[in-house]
Amino acid sequence: TPSHEVNASMDHMNKSQNMQLLQNVEYDDREHKIVVEEVDESQVTVRHEFAVGEGATYTGQMREVIDEETNQPILLKHGKGTQLWPDGAKYEGDWRNGMAEGQGTFYHANGDVYTGEFYQDRANGFGVYVHSNGQKYEGFWKDDLQDGPGKEELED
């Protein structure tokens, strides 16, 4: 499989070195830094096939919070969980305050798969995207776009 170097700085790095590089980088998009809070297990409950809109269902940890607009209790995805959409797309991983945040895997309906870091429902940080045709990009992401050092492997 031929590969195309997106950034020469990762030319000779293996995955372990990439992860070490990630640990030493503050990923900043001028509005936030990726800092994932620990989940307080005493504040979450597990729900199965909980309807979350657009026909999607969620199974996993949730916590109750008070909606600021209605002053009523609502449940937010928070902790470990899986969301499944009607088209077959699926996210498995960490959730914080109702959004995919932390480590996770998103399975696209077309067969593409992204595994890596998420922040506010988007690929942010280090991750690997494998296309259904076998092409692969391993590197850094910002708001669902390739951003920074990475390596792309192309199919013949």
Side-chain angles (χ1 to χ4, degrees), residues 6 10 36 40 43 68 101-102 143 154:
V6 176
M10 292 188 68
V36 178
D40 181 349
Q43 295 181 350
E68 293 177 3
E101 193 160 304
D143 295 330
L154 306 174

Side-chain angles (χ1 to χ4, degrees), residues 4-5 7 22 26 29 33 35-37 39 47 49-50 53 59 67 77 88 93 95 98 100 115 117 123 127 149 154:
H4 169 68
E5 291 302 322
N7 186 316
L22 175 63
E26 286 188 357
D29 75 355
K33 290 183 181 170
V35 178
V36 178
E37 67 187 58
V39 172
R47 298 293 175 128
E49 297 184 18
F50 186 81
T59 298
D67 185 298
K77 297 170 275 190
W95 297 86
T115 300
E117 294 185 308
L154 306 174

Side-chain angles (χ1 to χ4, degrees), residues 6 14 21 24 36 43 49 55-56 85 88 91 99-100 108 125 150-151:
V6 176
N14 61 32
L21 176 64
N24 296 327
V36 178
Q43 295 181 350
E49 297 184 18
W85 285 265
Y91 172 79
M99 290 191 258
H108 295 266
K151 181 179 179 180

Side-chain angles (χ1 to χ4, degrees), residues 51-92:
V52 290
E54 300 177 13
T57 59
Y58 173 81
T59 298
Q61 295 176 312
M62 301 185 88
R63 76 175 183 170
E64 186 176 286
V65 298
I66 301 299
D67 185 298
E68 293 177 3
E69 292 179 18
T70 65
N71 206 29
Q72 297 295 313
I74 59 171
L75 287 173
L76 292 179
K77 297 170 275 190
H78 194 80
K80 299 284 186 191
T82 300
Q83 182 163 319
L84 181 62
W85 285 265
D87 67 357
K90 176 171 70 170
Y91 172 79
E92 296 177 319

